[in-house]
């Protein structure tokens, strides 16, 4: 809840708050359609960013490296095949099920109404 831990050019960890991320993405409102935070416990940041960006994907809780990779591959493969963001999100989740990974409910898609 304190923020996402990002690494700077010196290898130091810096916490970036949800409010700071929301402010950053506000600058790109109307230019970015989707933000994908493939990081554990990023649901709070997902909610904040979705105030400015139509689609934001985050993770409700911890997700294993293999599951995060499988979700991302499924998601980006579907986008590359011309599917919608909604469909690509579903493909990412289904990819986890197809691989027998239990984390298919970890990714969360926040959409503007």
């Amino acid at each position: 809840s304190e923020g996402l831990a990002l690494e700077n050019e010196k290898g130091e960890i810096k916490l970036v708050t949800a409010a700071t991320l929301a402010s950053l993405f506000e600058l790109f409102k109307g230019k970015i359609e989707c933000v994908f935070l493939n990081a554990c416990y990023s649901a709070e940041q997902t909610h904040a960013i979705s105030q400015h960006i139509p689609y934001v994907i985050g993770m409700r809780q911890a997700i294993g490296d293999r599951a995060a990779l499988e979700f991302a591959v499924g998601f980006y493969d579907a986008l590359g095949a011309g599917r919608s963001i909604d469909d690509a999100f579903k493909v990412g989740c289904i990819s986890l099920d197809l691989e027998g990974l239990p984390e298919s409910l970890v990714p969360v898609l926040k959409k503007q109404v």
Side-chain angles (χ1 to χ4, degrees), residues 9-80:
E9 65 279 350
K10 296 178 186 176
E12 302 166 331
I13 299 298
K14 300 288 183 179
L15 285 180
V16 180
T17 67
T20 299
L21 286 171
S23 294
L24 172 66
F25 284 105
E26 183 177 19
L27 297 172
F28 299 96
K29 188 175 188 171
K31 300 200 182 305
I32 294 177
E33 188 174 351
C34 181
V35 171
F36 178 8
L37 301 173
N38 200 0
C40 299
Y41 302 103
S42 55
E44 185 175 332
Q45 290 76 20
T46 299
H47 178 72
I49 294 168
S50 72
Q51 297 172 50
H52 309 293
I53 304 298
Y55 294 89
V56 186
I57 298 169
M59 303 296 158
R60 298 178 209 280
Q61 60 194 44
I63 187 166
D65 289 344
R66 182 167 171 231
L69 180 62
E70 289 295 335
F71 177 84
V73 168
F75 176 76
Y76 288 120
D77 278 352
L79 280 182

